[in-house]
Amino acid sequence: LYTGIKKIEVTNKDASKEADEAMAEVESAISYPPNNALFGSSTVRVPLPVGLWIYNSLVNKEGKFNKWLFKTFAAKPVYISTVNPDVRSRIAQNLLHEHGYFNGTADYEVITSEKDSMKAKITYRLEMNEPYMYDSIRYRRFRHRADTLMKQTETERPLHKGDQFNVIRLEQERQRIATLMRTHGYYYFRPAYIVYDADSTLAPQTVSLRIHMTQGID
């Protein structure tokens, strides 16, 4: 039986606003309320698991009243397998990478209760490390009129040299360019036409970003 998150350990944590945003998404991804959670908390439970008691007592009982009571108040047990901490750890690590923490890692440990071997909590361990930043951003292979539109709207770009790598910002720029193109007559232009090439091997902790249109567009 899953009884909640014991703790979330974070090492080498970045102290920036971007780190706080990344951690908010990570914590949302690994959070999962146990039975009798207090206001949906993943760490705090009320002392009397009434819903779970009713489930265990009436799960196989017949009778109209028993079935009504079961349907109305029973709470299905939440197991470690239900939470699937292995998958949640991988999601957490992917989220760190999407926020620029390419060397970030995430794993977990199941902590069995000393009083009851059939109950356990989960401890998640996260390591952030230093984020990767854009050392250059270049727009390439845009046709003449499209290139002019891109230059005229430079101040509206959400991507800037020196910013931290962030997948959300990349998607925002794809949407912005697609809207810009459609507004100026390219009615069938889609965000998927914008392609990114990101090279993180040229210098430590940096990303060289190239933005261009995919080939073969009418």
Side-chain angles (χ1 to χ4, degrees), residues 35-36 48-57 70 73-77:
N35 289 109
N36 61 297
L48 302 177
V50 176
L52 188 58
W53 291 344
I54 293 175
Y55 181 94
N56 291 333
S57 300
F70 181 86
F73 298 106
K76 188 177 181 180

Side-chain angles (χ1 to χ4, degrees), residues 8-148:
I8 300 174
E9 299 176 356
V10 183
T11 56
N12 295 326
K13 185 182 179 188
D14 184 20
S16 66
K17 182 183 78 172
E18 289 79 4
D20 292 337
E21 293 175 355
M23 282 304 305
E25 288 193 34
V26 167
E27 290 179 8
S28 178
I30 62 180
S31 295
Y32 199 105
N35 289 109
N36 61 297
L38 180 63
F39 303 123
S41 171
S42 295
T43 57
V44 183
R45 305 169 70 206
V46 297
L48 302 177
V50 176
L52 188 58
W53 291 344
I54 293 175
Y55 181 94
N56 291 333
S57 300
L58 303 178
V59 64
N60 294 317
K61 293 293 180 65
E62 297 294 332
K64 186 177 293 187
F65 177 74
N66 287 336
K67 289 184 178 180
W68 173 82
L69 195 64
F70 181 86
K71 183 178 180 180
T72 306
F73 298 106
K76 188 177 181 180
V78 179
Y79 299 113
I80 294 291
S81 59
T82 306
V83 179
N84 205 337
D86 182 60
V87 170
R88 291 181 184 277
S89 293
R90 278 184 274 144
I91 292 173
Q93 183 165 299
N94 288 341
L95 285 170
L96 289 176
H97 294 176
E98 289 180 3
H99 282 267
Y101 299 96
F102 294 161
N103 296 320
T105 61
D107 62 8
Y108 71 96
E109 182 181 1
V110 177
I111 311 296
T112 304
S113 171
E114 295 180 357
K115 297 180 180 179
D116 188 343
S117 62
M118 298 300 291
K119 296 180 180 180
K121 291 181 177 291
I122 300 173
T123 289
Y124 290 96
R125 297 189 178 92
L126 310 171
E127 185 170 359
M128 295 192 77
N129 295 311
E130 291 296 318
Y132 277 63
M133 319 297 282
Y134 296 119
D135 70 339
S136 64
I137 300 175
R138 296 180 183 175
Y139 291 74
R140 306 181 65 182
R141 301 180 194 168
F142 284 87
R143 297 171 185 172
H144 175 68
R145 189 180 178 202
D147 184 64
T148 300

Side-chain angles (χ1 to χ4, degrees), residues 93-209:
Q93 183 165 299
N94 288 341
L95 285 170
L96 289 176
H97 294 176
E98 289 180 3
H99 282 267
Y101 299 96
F102 294 161
N103 296 320
T105 61
D107 62 8
Y108 71 96
E109 182 181 1
V110 177
I111 311 296
T112 304
S113 171
E114 295 180 357
K115 297 180 180 179
D116 188 343
S117 62
M118 298 300 291
K119 296 180 180 180
K121 291 181 177 291
I122 300 173
T123 289
Y124 290 96
R125 297 189 178 92
L126 310 171
E127 185 170 359
M128 295 192 77
N129 295 311
E130 291 296 318
Y132 277 63
M133 319 297 282
Y134 296 119
D135 70 339
S136 64
I137 300 175
R138 296 180 183 175
Y139 291 74
R140 306 181 65 182
R141 301 180 194 168
F142 284 87
R143 297 171 185 172
H144 175 68
R145 189 180 178 202
D147 184 64
T148 300
L149 291 173
M150 299 299 296
K151 290 179 179 178
Q152 289 176 344
T153 58
E154 284 182 345
T155 57
E156 300 174 13
R157 296 174 182 174
L159 303 174
H160 307 93
K161 180 180 178 180
D163 285 353
Q164 185 169 319
F165 179 91
N166 188 302
V167 168
I168 296 174
R169 298 285 187 273
L170 295 181
E171 184 57 29
Q172 287 176 349
E173 179 64 344
R174 293 178 87 188
Q175 295 290 341
R176 185 190 74 85
I177 294 173
T179 300
L180 177 68
M181 298 296 287
R182 288 196 295 264
T183 301
H184 287 81
Y186 298 92
Y187 187 76
Y188 296 103
F189 197 96
R190 302 201 306 266
Y193 292 166
I194 301 300
V195 179
Y196 293 108
D197 296 326
D199 191 341
S200 61
T201 65
L202 299 179
Q205 305 298 128
T206 63
V207 173
S208 179
L209 188 68

